[in-house]
Amino acid sequence: MLQDDDVRRAVAAPERLAALAHVEQRLPALADDFDRLARLAAAATGAATGHVTLVAPGRLRLAGSSGDPAPQVELPEEVELPEEFVPCAHVVAGGQALVVADCTTDPRFAGNPLARRGGPVSYAGAPLRSPTGAVVGAVCVTGVPVGAAPARTAEVLADVAEQGSALLTQRQRDLEQRAQHEVLEATASGRPLRQVLDLLARRVEELLAPHVMCSVLLLDDDGVTLRDGAGPSLPAAYRAAIDGLRAGEGVGSCGTAVHRREVVAVTDTTTDPLWASYRELAAAHGLAACTSLPVLDADGTVLGTFALYQRTPGDLRLPEDATIAAFRHLTRVAIERDRARRELTRLATRDPVTGLLNRTAFLTAAAGALLRPPRPGRTHVALLCDVDRFKAVNDSLGHAAGDAYLRGAAQALRAVLRPGDLACRFAGDAFTLLLPDRDPAQLPAVAEEVGACFAAPVALPGNLIRLSASTGATSTALSGAVLDVLLRDADMAMHAAKQDGRARARTFEPAMQERAAAHLELTLALGEAMRTDQLHLHYQPEVDLLTGRTVGLEALARWTRPGTGPVPPARFIPAAEAGGLVVELGRLALTRACRQLAAWRALHPAARHVTAWVNVSAHQLAERGFVDLVTGTLAAQGLPGTALGLEITESSVVRDLATARHTLQRLRDAGVRIALDDFGTGYSSLSLLQTLPVDVVKVDRSFVSRLVPARGGTAGSARDDARGGARVLAAIVSMAHALGLTVVAEGVEHPHQRDALRTMGCDVAQGYLFGRPAPPQDLDPAGWAHGTPAVDARR
């Protein structure tokens, strides 16, 4: 027989009280189930009434009733009685069925005031267990039929109570499944991680017990710092205090769980050494125990912690390990889903090389930032930085080296940016920035500071990359708050910086817009001119200095614009380059020059010894079908390859020397002659002569202009300069001849220049002395073989 103290201790056991509180919390939802269970108990035993009771220290709660006619003394829904007098408390303490024939005579219950007032005489009860296995109450009956076998009554009642326990377990599982589904649905719908974790924590608290508080901490990418994720029932001050906690041994339950990568259960935060540094914090907020479970991904990497707190010391009796495991897994799913979403966002909005915003994300963010006006006395600043000569790095060291430089430049940019600044890799080697709320007077200094980021050296194995950038700057004070206009004006300023010599910063000025508008208008007009046949070719002869015969004709594009008059090539050729028209212009010149030469050859035998020379741009050399275009054009006109010569400049080949060399060799193999134009003006011209398949060297006119008559009143310094120029010319001629190349001197305007060149051994001359560029109808092919001027030099 149980002693009174045994009954009291059993009823007051903490784990049992936790389970009881959990069941009582759900009584409204369980009321119908418990009434059915009470009716089943009464029917199965033949008793007068059936009940489901919940037992607490000094309190008995009627949770379900069969609804049969009331006994002599009606039982209230809740009654306060010492537990040692209550049969149901003895069922709880004993953990097995109990049958009492007469409560009024049984010494254990004689003191029960209900029995003394004519309450139930006979009693039978069996333990009702929670999902954790704790006995929370009893399924009982009163008014057991006289003569019923006690053992049989106890057995039947135990079966009914077991069904009740199974019912509680099933209801618990139903609640868990609904809660898990709700959390999964919130995760799948893309709700923010903190909302999902807050929902998860609340559902865990509802499933466990009222005194349990759930917390989730998230591990930062540094693998050490823990950030507050959820903790709806924890004090806000405590959550703030542990936000930013650095994991490690002895850092409470959570920090230690991350460090050990295992569950850490602390039953008393006031004594456990793991909480030594946080003891006062826990005590200040009434947190007496904490069990923390690390949340791990599939590879075992720690993502965060899932923790359960309680306000009383002791082991945390969990309803089922499977329940906690399920919500711990849901925590992992939510965190991983959020990380995947953030990674997709990063991939969608970030440049993969530099990690800066990509073009689309920048345009969206910048447009939003411009909706907010600057603070008084401030302005929003827009910058565009274009790396100088970046292609040379990619071509010489490879794209990996170029990417390494870009990453280094982006890192330097981040170091100078402020919160709220936007930086973007806008294109291959172009960067844009929007810097809100800057001092207008500091605009040039800001542009210089940003531009300097691109001058930082980047070390690679065996190389140290040092580049620069041209930077254009403007502001909402200068250009307004429309993003397209800001970027346009910053781009104009950047191009002005490039024209100034690169590696510098320029601030937008209204005059830049005027020049850009004029340039655009010229480009559009040039395109129309090409479509409406406004462009024509003039030809300037090249004369053999020994025989006087015309051996070549350089085709030069000319444009007479209606209503404006002649447009100098120095204006429209750069416009064609910048406007993407130079390839079409080059095709036009090639086609017309070959057609004209074919016509001359058909009429005049002397023309068969003349080469038509056509200038070729870098863009044409880069065209994949350029060789086929040249050979096809020659074939269409019935011309041999030797009838055509192509003039290239140093700048047109150094951008992609390997491709240029391959293209030129194919042309040369087809018989086309190649001339290196403007020789002597580039730093690497001598090396190009040995690298490229070249037939002719055209000496720049600047050398020829320095030649002076043999006798004259020239000042001493001018004579010295002339002698120096003559020596350079003589050296070029000698060097070219040593390489088997023909030398053509440009800009010959006076007889003494012709005579000096002939004395040096120069092969061919071109200039006003022999003829200005002229339309084909003004040229006389009949005189080309006789050494007479091709056209009147005075025209």
Side-chain angles (χ1 to χ4, degrees), residues 707 720 722-732 760:
L707 296 175
D720 292 341
R723 290 169 186 160
R727 285 194 290 269
V728 171
L729 272 172
I732 291 174
M760 294 176 192

Side-chain angles (χ1 to χ4, degrees), residues 563-651:
T564 302
V567 181
R571 283 192 63 205
F572 73 78
I573 297 297
E577 290 271 2
L581 301 174
V582 71
V583 171
E584 181 60 31
L585 181 60
R587 185 182 295 114
L588 180 150
L590 175 68
T591 301
R592 291 188 178 179
C594 288
R595 185 189 303 134
Q596 182 62 60
L597 182 60
W600 278 329
R601 287 168 65 101
L603 296 174
H604 303 284
R608 296 173 188 172
H609 304 288
V610 172
T611 300
W613 290 92
V614 178
N615 291 282
V616 175
S617 72
H619 297 284
Q620 289 174 276
L621 287 178
E623 287 277 301
R624 182 169 297 179
F626 180 64
V627 175
D628 294 335
L629 171 67
V630 172
T631 56
T633 302
L634 289 169
Q637 300 300 330
L639 295 174
T642 54
L644 178 66
L646 300 179
E647 296 190 13
I648 61 172
T649 62
E650 179 184 328
S651 60

Side-chain angles (χ1 to χ4, degrees), residues 298-341:
D299 297 327
T301 301
V302 180
L303 303 175
T305 63
F306 175 90
L308 299 170
Y309 291 83
Q310 55 188 14
R311 295 193 179 279
T312 56
D315 291 335
L316 180 67
R317 300 291 187 229
L318 304 180
E320 285 185 70
D321 287 344
T323 301
I324 297 305
F327 281 92
R328 182 187 184 186
H329 177 71
L330 284 177
T331 304
R332 166 191 162 184
V333 170
I335 295 173
E336 289 185 327
R337 176 66 178 258
D338 180 72
R339 288 193 172 189
R341 180 187 59 78

